[in-house]
Amino acid sequence: IVELLKSKDLLPTFEASGIKVVVCAFTPELHSAAIEVASKLRESGGAIDLVLESKKPKWVLKHAARLAAEYAVIVAPDEWGQGNVRIKNLGEGEQVDVPVTELAEWAGTNL
C-alpha cells in the first residue's frame, strides 16, 4: 500500500503542518501546567501541538521532528518548581530554561 501511495504521490507528509512548537508534560501531574504553557504560546500567535499522552521525551522529540516543529517545550518537575520551562531548539539542538512569565516575550522573538 505504501508503494502504491508513493507512486501516486499520495503518501501523507507533515511538512505543511505549520506546527512551530510541541509542548509536553514530563509527568501526568504536570498536564495542567503544560496546558497553561500551550495556551500562553497560542495567545502569542504560535501554532502549538500539545501532547498529553504519557510518552517518553524521546518519543515527543521524534513526534516534533515528524511535524517539522522548530521547538519542543518540556514541562518538567524541577524546572516548573523554579517557575521555568525547558525549551529545546530542534534545529540547533540547544536548550534553555525560560521563565513562564517570559513565555510571551520568548514567543514574540522566536515564533
Side-chain angles (χ1 to χ4, degrees):
I1 294 176
V2 172
E3 292 302 319
L4 178 62
L5 290 173
K6 267 188 201 178
S7 70
K8 303 283 186 188
D9 199 26
L10 296 173
L11 196 62
T13 66
F14 294 104
E15 292 175 24
S17 72
I19 300 293
K20 297 278 188 180
V21 180
V22 173
V23 177
C24 75
F26 206 72
T27 64
E29 294 78 25
L30 291 171
H31 282 172
S32 62
I35 292 169
E36 177 185 335
V37 168
S39 295
K40 286 180 188 253
L41 293 170
R42 285 181 180 136
E43 288 171 6
S44 298
I48 311 301
D49 182 45
L50 175 61
V51 177
L52 291 176
E53 301 169 66
S54 294
K55 298 289 185 180
K56 296 185 183 223
K58 185 176 181 179
W59 182 93
V60 173
L61 294 175
K62 284 184 179 180
H63 173 68
R66 284 191 299 271
L67 294 175
E70 295 176 22
Y71 299 94
V73 176
I74 312 234
V75 181
D78 292 342
E79 288 79 6
W80 187 254
Q82 297 170 3
N84 297 324
V85 293
R86 177 145 302 159
I87 300 178
K88 181 167 186 167
N89 181 319
L90 299 172
E92 297 174 9
E94 297 176 6
Q95 54 189 22
V96 295
D97 289 346
V98 175
V100 175
T101 56
E102 296 176 18
L103 276 175
E105 182 180 320
W106 177 87
T109 304
N110 295 284
L111 299 182

